[in-house]
Amino acid sequence: IALIALASLAATYVAFKPTLRRSQRLQTGTILADIILISIAYWLTDQYGSDFFLFYYLPIFASVEYLGGRKAVAVSLAVGFAMVAVVVFMHAIPAASSTEWLVVLRTLFLRWFFLLAVALSSALVFRGLSRRQAQLLTLLDALHAGAAAIQDVQALEDALESILSELTEKLNFEFAVISLVDEYRNCIETVRARNISPGWIMRAKHQLDVADIQTHIV
């Protein structure tokens, strides 16, 4: 029990460390340690019908979560083999006839199948939750990036307004227009102006490959 508690604490620590959680070797080692410790505890019960076998759900679920399909299948088969190996070495089961062993194996098979069914259903639920979590994390990253970009946008706004102020207030131009080249959209577009009709500003957008005075200047 003390060893299982220690393994649980170690697994919890790993689960909260993203760098450790991504290590397949560490996850594989943790899962194998779980199988060994659970097998020892199961063997100590000295009863093949003990409910201690339910703890095998933990390594199966962990393998589904961290190791991927093929390795999860391997771990699931290893758990079935471990259950049979534990029962073979139990003191409470003396040498018996093949008929009695068939009963034991049938019981173990049903319990192993139950473990797989529970782990599979849990994995499907977990996959849906993981997909939703990934979407939320993507949205959160986008919000952080947007918040970081606000300062740059504000700096651009201040620069454009400063240029317009220089032109109309200090240099005394009657009109002032600022157009920016958007290489991604392959166009030049008016973005700021002083003493110009808003409708004209909204319409002042030209593709760079179209003949126009602005595209000619560019």
Side-chain angles (χ1 to χ4, degrees):
I1 292 174
L3 288 175
I4 291 176
L6 185 61
S8 300
L9 290 175
T12 303
Y13 177 77
V14 169
F16 280 98
K17 289 287 185 178
T19 54
L20 297 178
R21 194 167 62 241
R22 296 190 190 99
S23 172
Q24 288 246 337
R25 290 185 178 181
L26 183 60
Q27 293 296 344
T28 302
T30 304
I31 289 168
L32 292 178
D34 281 345
I35 293 176
I36 293 171
L37 291 174
I38 294 167
S39 297
I40 293 173
Y42 188 22
W43 174 74
L44 289 174
T45 64
D46 226 12
Q47 296 177 359
Y48 78 91
S50 170
D51 287 337
F52 226 94
F53 82 96
L54 287 171
F55 284 104
Y56 281 121
Y57 164 80
L58 298 174
I60 293 177
F61 180 75
S63 67
V64 172
E65 182 179 355
Y66 296 112
L67 302 185
R70 293 183 179 180
K71 292 183 179 180
V73 171
V75 170
S76 299
L77 294 175
V79 165
F81 176 80
M83 292 173 67
V84 174
V86 167
V87 171
V88 167
F89 290 101
M90 274 185 178
H91 302 295
I93 301 180
S97 65
S98 58
T99 304
E100 293 175 344
W101 266 108
L102 283 176
V103 176
V104 174
L105 293 177
R106 189 184 302 117
T107 303
L108 291 179
F109 176 78
L110 291 175
R111 294 181 171 214
W112 177 69
F113 187 77
F114 171 76
L115 285 175
L116 294 183
V118 174
L120 179 60
S121 59
S122 300
L124 292 175
V125 173
F126 178 79
R127 179 171 296 180
L129 293 175
S130 297
R131 190 180 300 112
R132 180 59 178 161
Q133 183 185 34
Q135 293 173 349
L136 292 175
L137 289 175
T138 302
L139 177 60
L140 185 62
D141 291 340
L143 291 174
H144 286 163
I150 287 177
Q151 295 180 352
D152 297 333
V153 173
Q154 187 61 47
L156 177 61
E157 293 282 341
D158 294 341
L160 296 179
E161 288 298 324
S162 175
I163 293 172
L164 292 175
S165 296
E166 289 282 338
L167 291 172
T168 57
E169 297 172 11
K170 295 185 178 181
L171 298 179
N172 296 320
F173 280 96
E174 188 175 354
F175 307 104
V177 173
I178 298 178
S179 297
L180 297 182
V181 176
D182 189 336
E183 296 179 350
Y184 180 76
R185 294 187 297 164
N186 192 39
C187 70
I188 182 170
E189 183 177 9
T190 298
V191 293
R192 288 289 184 278
R194 287 280 178 91
N195 302 323
I196 300 291
S197 168
W200 181 265
I201 297 174
M202 293 175 62
R203 289 192 296 268
K205 175 182 176 182
H206 308 282
Q207 294 296 314
L208 293 177
D209 53 4
V210 175
D212 182 80
I213 182 61
Q214 290 189 329
T215 59
H216 180 70
I217 293 172
V218 174

